[in-house]
Amino acid sequence: MFCEKAMELIRELHRAPEGQLPAFNEDGLRQVLEEMKALYEQNQSDVNEAKSGGRSDLIPTIKFRHCSLLRNRRCTVAYLYDRLLRIRALRWEYGSVLPNALRFHMAAEEVRCLKDYGEFEVDDGTSVLLKKNSQDLMTLRIWCSLCSCQGAKECFRSCGS
């Protein structure tokens, strides 16, 4: 606990050679998020107890957990941003179609369609129905392929942004 998993994500990226994309560590990221949730819930109960019971002895513990939350957040963002930069560099190097060895290391991206476009076939033969407000789990490769080949960039947005 206390940022160990988050630091392991960063170490994992640091060990990977420049220009290579390590496998997306979904389990590690999920564990970091679960730790953050637990820390937040513990802090909330301690803050309520400190306010109602006048327990000022809990303040250092609350601050420590808060610092751990901030560090986990920084490590998570750094992990995702580094992967984004590596994927961007690989796209420039290989073009729109990445080799199978690289595709295997990419995470699924949840995408929401903003307009009705009907059914599209991607370069690899996969069919995707683009209906307004539908959500699909597609790999980043398929998403990029749709955006570039079908001219539907304005159709998509990542659910997280």
Side-chain angles (χ1 to χ4, degrees):
M1 197 165 189
F2 298 116
C3 307
E4 290 173 20
K5 296 290 183 183
M7 288 302 297
E8 183 57 35
L9 289 175
I10 300 300
R11 282 188 212 102
E12 179 182 305
L13 282 176
H14 187 66
R15 286 189 293 257
E18 191 66 31
Q20 288 189 0
L21 184 65
F24 184 72
N25 191 344
E26 186 175 349
D27 290 334
L29 197 58
R30 184 176 292 119
Q31 289 172 359
V32 171
L33 295 176
E34 288 170 1
E35 178 184 331
M36 290 175 73
K37 182 179 178 186
L39 289 170
Y40 179 78
E41 289 170 353
Q42 290 170 347
N43 259 7
Q44 282 299 105
S45 67
D46 282 356
V47 165
N48 291 335
E49 189 175 330
K51 281 184 176 179
S52 63
R55 300 237 357 238
S56 61
D57 60 315
L58 293 174
I59 292 175
T61 306
I62 293 168
K63 287 183 178 182
F64 178 75
R65 281 195 210 112
H66 183 72
C67 289
S68 295
L69 280 167
L70 293 176
R71 186 172 187 165
N72 275 343
R73 183 181 68 182
R74 281 192 312 269
C75 290
T76 302
V77 169
Y79 176 78
L80 294 172
Y81 186 69
D82 187 81
R83 286 187 59 81
L84 173 113
L85 293 177
R86 288 175 189 242
I87 291 169
R88 183 184 295 166
L90 291 169
R91 286 283 177 200
W92 278 106
E93 184 178 338
Y94 292 104
S96 64
V97 180
L98 292 176
N100 286 335
L102 292 174
R103 284 188 235 160
F104 176 72
H105 294 295
M106 298 182 91
E109 170 90 6
E110 187 175 18
V111 175
R112 180 179 314 202
C113 187
L114 300 178
K115 291 170 60 175
D116 286 327
Y117 278 92
E119 190 169 355
F120 283 100
E121 187 172 330
V122 187
D123 296 338
D124 65 358
T126 306
S127 291
V128 179
L129 177 62
L130 301 179
K131 187 176 177 181
K132 186 174 182 172
N133 292 326
S134 65
Q135 291 184 352
D136 295 294
L137 284 177
M138 297 185 289
T139 62
L140 188 58
R141 175 185 55 80
I142 293 174
W143 182 62
C144 289
S145 175
L146 281 170
C147 288
S148 62
C149 295
Q150 307 295 341
K153 286 183 184 179
E154 70 277 1
C155 173
F156 294 99
R157 72 172 167 83
S158 292
C159 292
S161 56

